[in-house]
Amino acid sequence: KQEVTQIPAALSVPEGENLVLNCSFTDSAIYNLQWFRQDPGKGLTSLLLIQSSQREQTSGRLNASLDKSSGRSTLYIAASQPGDSATYLCAVRPTQGGSEKLVFGKGTKLTVNP
Amino acid sequence: NAGVMQNPRHLVRRRGQEARLRCSPMKGHSHVYWYRQLPEEGLKFMVYLQKENIIDESGMPKERFSAEFPKEGPSILRIQQVVRGDSAAYFCASSHGRQATNEKLFFGSGTQLSVL
């Protein structure tokens, strides 16, 4: 059974700092891995999607890496801003099960202090 | 192009009542997914539907819960005889087609269900 773990559960940093969020998954049989952002009272916004054959994806100040064999992904946020404060969710799409379900971690709650 | 629309945003029900949650997918999307987020937990898959068909309901409790996605109108997640443990945020997502390996899901803002 696929399980996704995110560490740390919460993180507080001063504005301008570079930071790394971690995600690990137990089964390397995945189609892809996605990082989402969740703001309070709002839905999820997809930030980056990495296919299983890829090593990383970049979008602006965000960079996500994937090491499928070791079951790890990181989300790197450069020059953090207060507007980056949110909960960041990692999700994998397993190849097993014959469906399109995503398996989510519990998230990392990020607070960027001005 | 409006995103995934869910209503109501907040729903309060007393134990034993019925809850109906609605989801209108993005324009042009014919695949809908429902997820539930319990307090302090990650999102859990419930059900995957296409127009008029339930494709995968493996994550949905066998009793009291049902889902539909009719030919016309929104997708409905229905919870009968709600209990306090049903209190959660329910999220709907949609995709254009069968989720290809590189296709993103688009999520709605969710419905927060509170059972008194």
Side-chain angles (χ1 to χ4, degrees):
Chain A
K1 178 186 174 184
Q2 178 73 267
E3 292 184 359
V4 178
T5 303
Q6 291 186 246
I7 295 173
L11 181 63
S12 182
V13 300
E15 182 177 4
E17 192 162 298
N18 302 325
L19 58 100
V20 175
L21 307 181
N22 297 292
C23 172
S24 61
F25 46 97
T26 55
D27 189 340
S28 61
I30 62 170
Y31 283 122
N32 59 49
L33 181 145
Q34 292 187 61
W35 283 93
F36 292 87
R37 170 181 173 142
Q38 184 177 21
D39 293 281
K42 296 185 179 181
L44 281 67
T45 302
S46 181
L47 298 173
L48 291 164
L49 182 150
I50 311 176
Q51 297 182 52
S52 62
S53 59
Q54 297 176 325
R55 297 285 292 183
E56 66 176 346
Q57 283 285 329
T58 298
S59 175
R61 295 182 293 108
L62 305 179
N63 175 277
S65 68
L66 174 64
D67 185 342
K68 196 176 74 165
S69 60
S70 68
R72 296 180 187 276
S73 176
T74 61
L75 179 66
Y76 175 82
I77 302 177
S80 58
Q81 303 171 357
D84 294 331
S85 298
T87 297
Y88 290 81
L89 301 175
C90 168
V92 299
R93 185 185 164 206
T95 60
Q96 302 296 321
S99 181
E100 280 72 33
K101 65 186 73 170
L102 298 181
V103 179
F104 282 84
K106 294 183 180 181
T108 293
K109 185 176 181 180
L110 174 65
T111 302
V112 180
N113 301 300
Chain B
N1 185 14
V4 179
M5 304 299 292
Q6 290 188 247
N7 68 82
R9 291 293 304 276
H10 302 276
L11 182 61
V12 179
R13 286 288 179 266
R14 297 190 180 280
R15 281 180 297 170
Q17 291 184 319
E18 178 180 287
R20 282 183 175 242
L21 289 64
R22 295 176 184 77
C23 169
S24 296
M26 286 183 69
K27 187 176 180 180
H29 285 192
S30 58
H31 296 238
V32 165
Y33 313 78
W34 286 92
Y35 285 79
R36 176 166 68 172
Q37 186 176 35
L38 293 166
E40 307 302 322
E41 294 291 326
L43 277 80
K44 303 291 185 187
F45 168 82
M46 298 183 72
V47 61
Y48 162 41
L49 310 103
Q50 296 177 30
K51 286 282 187 181
E52 301 184 277
N53 286 301
I54 296 175
I55 307 303
D56 181 354
E57 57 182 348
S58 59
M60 198 156 66
K62 295 290 187 288
E63 297 181 353
R64 303 187 297 109
F65 285 73
S66 62
E68 63 177 9
F69 189 17
K71 186 177 181 180
E72 301 291 336
S75 174
I76 305 288
L77 179 67
R78 181 183 178 202
I79 311 173
Q80 295 177 290
Q81 299 177 318
V82 296
V83 301
R84 289 214 172 109
D86 297 332
S87 297
Y90 292 81
F91 289 94
C92 171
S94 73
S95 64
H96 175 71
R98 196 166 191 103
Q99 195 180 346
T101 58
N102 61 348
E103 185 171 5
K104 294 180 181 179
L105 279 186
F106 294 86
F107 280 81
S109 298
T111 293
Q112 181 65 52
L113 173 65
S114 298
V115 180
L116 304 180

